[in-house]
Amino acid sequence: MNINQSQIIAIQHNKGPMLVLAGPGSGKTLVITRRTQQLIENYGVNPYHILVITFTKAAAEEMKERFNKLTGSRYSGVNFGTFHAVFFTILKYAYHYNASNIIRDDLKYQYFKEIIEQLQLEIDDEKEFISGISSEISLVKGERLSLEHYYSINCSEEVFKMIYEAYEKKLRKSHFIDFDDMLVLCYELLSERPDILAVWQKKFQYILIDEFQDINKVQYDIIRLLAKPENNLFIVGDDDQSIYRFRGAKPEIMLNFEKDYPDGKRILLDTNYRSTQKIIDYAATLVKNNSKRFPKNIKAANQGGEDIKIKVFQELKEQNSMVVANILQYFRDGMAFSDMAVLFRTNTQPRALIEKLMEYNVPFQMKDMIPNIYDHWIAGNIIAYIKLAMGSRERSLFLQIANRPKRYISRECFPNSQVELNELREYYSDKEWMLDRVHKLEYDLQLLKEMTPFAAINYIRKGIGYEDYLAEYADYRRIKVDELLETLNELQETSRNYKTFEDWFLHIEDYKEELKRQYENMQKRNKECVTLATMHSSKGLEYKVVFITDANEGITPHRKAMVEADMEEERRLFYVAMTRAKEYLHIYSVKERYNKELAISRFVGELLLDLERLVPGSQVFHKTFGEGIIKSNHQDKITIYFDRLKKERTLDLNFCIQNRLLSVMENKNTL
């Protein structure tokens, strides 16, 4: 790769702070490795005094490998590592920690399970709850927040505080620290011991940080301590790709860097060597709607290219069929499967697509663990009802559904491994109102026995009252019931084509085996496969063809994005997904998903607001919404219209195209 002028300026930087804005495909790794070489060979810096920090072990190893290849492995003293590795090294010297002091993930999970049991919390979605609580504890530690002023999104503040304190007590009692403790303890050590700080300041005289936009507060506070007094801090990143706010990452840290270091320099790596100019322009059109960002003007080394292809489908199966058809067409045209990727907002989305890929024998590999919907606790409840209806009398099945919905049946009613309803009636023989509940349960199970899987699930939802139970549970867990109903909708949809419970259960087993094979393949990394990945895990990757699916409100942007900071991060995430594409980019939306109407994502609307492209003949607009509904002399009205929709925090393009935008085109006073 030829080195451009902005890269040269960054590489030749010597002393003092510098901010390098490095957009997608701009050669940031080249800049970091060459600047490190420059420090040693041209400025006489001892390699042992240089620290290069990345966010993952794999990235650190790749950076080191690239540097060694560049320099012929002549400078082995340069320190390459992650934040955690560097900070743990500091703690090892101070406190004599070793790897055995770091709590394993499985033991950490076990600690949380024990705490939930001790506190007698009624949690059905245990895995999700523990994952959420663990992330929140990480956020509290990383931001050094006070528990007194922290509002939990997973449970009440009182419960969160009890879980937090019980977890900390278990860690200390077992002489463990977690990854967040590494940061907090390191900050406290360096803040309280100037003598120890001075040793490490002398050691790390030049600090280079990759992916700086992902840094959190405590990491930044430690780095600022280490960089003093010379402040030879060289940070490389892209505020538009800051997508880990849930881990405590804040683009504001990067945006305020020049306030913290007024004498610092800034350079923009303004050439993208990955994508075509059209992809870059559309991505820029989207992300410029964020207010908190550095303005940028990025040009492509690869000029021109094709328009992005935006398409709206009536329902999910049409979208998935089109994805598979396009993949096969690209393959027939000579493109390798490995040059293609399907990206989605969350790892729960692609189940139906996976089945379609399996149907057409399209090889694929998953970057993320796709959760098996049939392992979900809601699926477990539904399957328990059906198995009991089929004649099973296992105690474990009764325990799952006895109080879903509430029947006030005690666990003490089930002392044996097999349950008989007559014994249940005997237990409650003196309580007429409880006998009615037992009779109703038996009646429901008899009805279910004769139904198809689809009808049975529908009866469990409506006739038995399972949806009412989900509503109560959602309120208890501080989550939206729609999140639970979406899982239930998808589960019911998977059963639609099966006439018997046996056939449906056989499909469940086949699907489970396929996921198992996929998990095994994740370790092997078969190169001749289409990649399926979440937007988060696609960061840093590139493909000739990218399909972004389910570009709908509530999915992307995610329904949990409530405040403006959340929405800006969702937009950055969509921007990251778009900029994975080198040549061809497809963005697909659906009008309906599992019998639920959806609005098209506001991000699609913002892309279509690039009015210089919305002219008669524009393939993007016309293929999406039909021919002949846009005229250039109405651009101002269209802009006003979409601005209003954005201010109202909604963008239902289905509705506006069908009902209102046509009126705008006709100069009617609908604004």
Side-chain angles (χ1 to χ4, degrees), residues 6-7 9-20 28 31-36 39 51-53 206-210 212 223 227 231-237 257 265 267 269:
S6 23
Q7 288 174 333
I9 293 171
I11 290 168
Q12 291 182 346
H13 177 70
N14 184 4
K15 291 182 176 293
M18 172 173 260
L19 165 60
V20 180
K28 62 184 178 62
V31 166
I32 292 172
T33 53
R34 296 238 175 188
R35 196 252 175 169
T36 304
L39 287 174
L51 172 62
V52 180
I53 301 181
Y206 289 80
I207 301 175
L208 300 86
I209 303 177
D210 188 21
F212 186 79
I223 289 298
N231 293 326
N232 292 322
L233 195 51
F234 186 84
I235 68 164
V236 182
F257 183 79
K265 297 178 181 178
I267 187 69
L269 304 186

Side-chain angles (χ1 to χ4, degrees), residues 136-154:
E136 287 195 87
I137 289 175
S138 179
L139 182 65
V140 168
K141 290 184 178 183
E143 291 290 303
R144 291 188 283 120
L145 300 173
S146 166
L147 282 181
E148 304 301 324
H149 303 100
Y150 181 73
Y151 181 82
S152 173
I153 61 173
N154 282 285

Side-chain angles (χ1 to χ4, degrees), residues 197-215:
L197 174 61
V199 171
W200 292 103
Q201 287 172 334
K202 186 176 180 181
K203 166 71 174 170
F204 301 134
Q205 296 178 20
Y206 289 80
I207 301 175
L208 300 86
I209 303 177
D210 188 21
E211 304 284 10
F212 186 79
Q213 75 278 351
D214 296 333
I215 201 167

Side-chain angles (χ1 to χ4, degrees), residues 79-274:
N79 305 274
F80 292 89
T82 64
F83 281 105
H84 287 98
V86 172
F87 298 162
F88 189 60
T89 298
I90 294 173
L91 293 177
K92 280 196 294 185
Y93 280 96
Y95 300 133
H96 307 292
Y97 281 134
N98 58 53
S100 66
N101 293 113
I102 304 172
I103 189 170
R104 303 188 316 274
D105 286 341
D106 60 335
L107 184 56
K108 183 177 179 180
Y109 186 86
Q110 184 59 38
Y111 277 3
F112 282 120
K113 280 191 63 137
E114 291 171 2
I115 292 168
I116 289 171
E117 290 174 8
Q118 289 165 5
L119 296 177
Q120 296 183 334
L121 301 177
E122 294 182 11
I123 304 296
D124 287 326
D125 53 336
E126 188 177 81
K127 288 183 180 179
E128 294 173 33
F129 179 74
I130 290 176
S131 175
I133 289 292
S134 179
S135 294
E136 287 195 87
I137 289 175
S138 179
L139 182 65
V140 168
K141 290 184 178 183
E143 291 290 303
R144 291 188 283 120
L145 300 173
S146 166
L147 282 181
E148 304 301 324
H149 303 100
Y150 181 73
Y151 181 82
S152 173
I153 61 173
N154 282 285
C155 55
S156 71
E157 286 65 62
E158 181 184 1
V159 169
F160 179 79
K161 185 178 180 182
M162 287 192 293
I163 294 174
Y164 184 99
E165 291 175 345
Y167 171 64
E168 287 294 287
K169 186 176 180 180
K170 280 180 174 288
L171 285 179
R172 302 301 160 253
K173 186 177 180 180
S174 304
H175 304 290
F176 282 131
I177 61 172
D178 60 22
F179 282 100
D180 302 298
D181 290 328
M182 289 185 199
L183 310 183
V184 175
L185 292 174
C186 190
Y187 175 76
E188 291 174 351
L189 173 69
L190 297 180
S191 299
E192 297 167 6
R193 291 290 301 273
D195 54 332
I196 293 177
L197 174 61
V199 171
W200 292 103
Q201 287 172 334
K202 186 176 180 181
K203 166 71 174 170
F204 301 134
Q205 296 178 20
Y206 289 80
I207 301 175
L208 300 86
I209 303 177
D210 188 21
E211 304 284 10
F212 186 79
Q213 75 278 351
D214 296 333
I215 201 167
N216 68 24
K217 188 178 188 303
V218 68
Q219 288 168 339
Y220 185 51
D221 289 343
I222 296 170
I223 289 298
R224 293 198 70 192
L225 289 173
L226 290 173
K228 292 178 179 179
E230 300 297 328
N231 293 326
N232 292 322
L233 195 51
F234 186 84
I235 68 164
V236 182
D238 181 8
D239 55 302
D240 288 332
Q241 294 187 77
S242 179
I243 58 173
Y244 294 111
R245 190 165 174 264
F246 62 94
R247 294 181 189 167
K250 290 186 174 181
E252 292 84 357
I253 294 175
M254 188 171 189
L255 293 169
N256 292 328
F257 183 79
E258 290 166 310
K259 292 181 181 178
D260 295 332
Y261 298 96
D263 59 335
K265 297 178 181 178
R266 187 210 299 184
I267 187 69
L268 169 65
L269 304 186
D270 59 358
T271 303
N272 182 306
Y273 292 94
R274 174 189 300 154

Side-chain angles (χ1 to χ4, degrees), residues 4 52 104-105 158 190 251 284 301 316 361 415 511 533 564 591 654:
N4 63 47
V52 180
R104 303 188 316 274
D105 286 341
E158 181 184 1
L190 297 180
L316 189 62
N361 294 315
Y511 184 73
E564 191 59 33
K591 294 180 181 179
N654 295 326

